[in-house]
Amino acid sequence: MSTSTALKKPYTKENFVSGQEVRWCPGCGDYSILATMQRTLAKFDLPIENYVIVSGIGCSSRFPYYMNTYGFHTIHGRAPTIATGLKCVNPDLSIWVITGDGDGLSIGGNHLIHCMRRNVDLNILLVNNRIYGLTKGQYSPTSEIGKVTKSTPYGSIDYPINALCIAIASEATFIARTLDTDPAHMSYIMERAANHKGVSFIEIYQNCIIFNDKTHVPVTGRETRDDRMVYLEHGKPLIFGKKKDKAIEIKGLQPEVVDLAKVSPNELLIHNEKDPNPHYSYLLTQMDYPEMPVPFGVFRQIEKPTYDEMMENQIKEIIRTKGKGELKDLIYGNNTWKVE
């Protein structure tokens, strides 16, 4: 970022455009995600120099070059680790991690899990196109079983990872899903994530036009989405369908699709994103096409202390009780030995 400190608020989308040539395939879903992020960050009052974009490796990981903010294009799968360090030393930063299904859920899976369970105050966007696009089309951790790719010519025999299940198992405090073809919804989700204190994890359904074109279309296609998607709204029933005539009911521990005209409103499942118990949000992640509509929106948003906040408070308390200390004393302390 070279000129941002001279920029004046309020910002526009153009203030977040770096001027670098964007090198994605024509028609890639990443264009929509990039433009939405630039437009969304411009809404906030935070100085532009306080934004940092951190990425690993993959097509979406080229984001830092295209944002007129500070940024790191780091090593494969380690973006959450770099971002955690940044947040701990400078809590005033708004840090956005951009990762893909291969980068975040394969080589970087361990780092992603620990970043989320620590509740570091970061925003993580996981761009899920169910393929390794940068390396020209191998199956990824989210590819469906039976997927034929260059590395699985007879079909994948791996069961796919459900990204939101990983986030819920890690007890992330903000979990959401959106899609690249709905910029308004994507911006709404990003805005809510930015306002959340703690880790926010957003899965974005994205289309790789070259190596996995239309992978999400059976659910998100224009002709079918009304009957195969359901948008989550806190405090409201899960209603969907072209005529808004279908809803979700819970029978035992199982969600079921019901005819809205044939059930009492008291029987409908009411969305509660504030439920501290992760069981409900986990149940939502199990709703999948073709048996059930696929949920989009905020699955979970709860409050609890963040890692960076607790670390800062702990350091202050130790300094208060023991003084600032000297690094030299630690290095030359008594607890040393020689190997002869």
Side-chain angles (χ1 to χ4, degrees):
M1 187 174 67
S2 57
T3 60
S4 62
T5 52
L7 298 176
K8 302 293 184 185
K9 294 181 280 188
Y11 300 124
T12 66
K13 169 182 175 292
E14 285 67 34
N15 292 136
F16 285 87
V17 176
S18 72
Q20 292 284 317
E21 180 186 357
V22 180
R23 295 182 178 179
W24 286 318
C25 305
C28 175
D30 284 347
Y31 285 98
S32 172
I33 300 170
L34 175 66
T36 300
M37 173 175 270
Q38 291 165 334
R39 190 164 49 248
T40 303
L41 296 190
K43 295 179 181 178
F44 298 109
D45 201 32
L46 193 69
I48 199 168
E49 59 268 25
N50 280 32
Y51 288 101
V52 183
I53 312 297
V54 185
S55 67
I57 296 298
C59 294
S60 62
S61 293
R62 296 190 61 80
F63 253 76
Y65 300 113
Y66 307 144
M67 295 288 295
N68 185 32
T69 63
Y70 288 104
F72 288 87
H73 188 182
T74 68
I75 53 179
H76 213 346
R78 272 58 173 177
T81 311
I82 304 293
T84 297
L86 269 176
K87 189 66 184 181
C88 289
V89 298
N90 192 341
D92 294 332
L93 298 176
S94 175
I95 301 173
W96 295 73
V97 172
I98 313 295
T99 185
D101 45 300
D103 183 62
L105 296 174
S106 185
I107 190 171
N110 193 34
H111 299 268
L112 183 66
I113 287 170
H114 291 289
C115 180
M116 290 194 288
R117 60 109 174 158
R118 287 171 176 146
N119 196 33
V120 186
D121 187 21
L122 303 171
N123 307 293
I124 301 171
L125 306 186
L126 187 133
V127 178
N128 184 5
N129 55 21
R130 297 176 174 171
I131 201 79
Y132 280 99
L134 184 70
T135 49
K136 298 182 170 48
Q138 299 83 14
Y139 82 111
S140 84
T142 57
S143 296
E144 63 274 26
I145 195 163
K147 183 77 178 177
V148 175
T149 70
K150 291 177 180 176
S151 56
T152 53
Y154 301 105
S156 166
I157 53 172
D158 274 0
Y159 296 108
I161 288 178
N162 183 323
L164 295 193
C165 285
I166 298 292
I168 289 168
S170 306
E171 304 251 1
T173 52
F174 181 99
I175 300 170
R177 178 188 284 145
T178 187
L179 63 164
D180 61 356
T181 53
D182 190 347
H185 186 259
M186 191 164 35
S187 179
Y188 164 72
I189 295 295
M190 286 182 185
E191 196 168 340
R192 288 202 52 188
N195 287 323
H196 175 70
K197 182 69 173 172
V199 70
S200 67
F201 178 83
I202 304 172
E203 178 187 32
I204 304 177
Y205 276 17
Q206 183 254 22
N207 191 47
C208 173
I209 196 168
I210 301 299
F211 297 108
N212 206 17
D213 193 22
K214 300 179 180 176
T215 184
H216 299 298
V217 163
V219 172
T220 64
R222 186 169 297 178
E223 301 301 320
T224 56
R225 61 191 177 196
D226 289 337
D227 289 313
R228 296 175 183 175
M229 296 172 56
V230 57
Y231 283 99
L232 304 173
E233 294 181 84
H234 180 64
K236 296 185 179 180
L238 280 68
I239 294 175
F240 66 103
K242 274 184 181 171
K243 298 178 181 176
K244 295 293 180 187
D245 57 350
K246 290 181 274 192
I248 304 298
E249 184 184 27
I250 293 289
K251 291 185 178 175
L253 295 176
Q254 296 296 323
E256 290 187 11
V257 175
V258 294
D259 184 336
L260 192 55
K262 296 180 179 176
V263 295
S264 161
N266 295 333
E267 298 176 59
L268 301 181
L269 176 61
I270 306 298
H271 182 49
N272 180 13
E273 65 186 31
K274 305 293 183 185
D275 190 345
N277 190 321
H279 294 170
Y280 165 66
S281 46
Y282 177 79
L283 179 147
L284 293 177
T285 68
Q286 300 307 295
M287 290 172 51
D288 202 1
Y289 171 77
E291 291 82 11
M292 300 291 293
V294 177
F296 288 81
V298 177
F299 285 56
R300 186 176 201 234
Q301 184 179 21
I302 63 167
E303 305 294 330
K304 66 180 182 182
T306 67
Y307 179 87
D308 40 293
E309 194 175 50
M310 290 191 289
M311 190 193 77
E312 192 176 356
N313 290 338
Q314 187 179 62
I315 291 172
K316 284 179 181 174
E317 179 61 17
I318 293 169
I319 290 175
R320 188 186 70 79
T321 56
K322 297 190 174 184
K324 289 192 73 170
E326 292 288 340
L327 183 60
K328 184 178 69 177
D329 295 339
L330 177 66
I331 296 172
Y332 295 100
N334 294 327
N335 190 21
T336 59
W337 63 93
K338 288 183 180 179
V339 177
E340 295 178 341

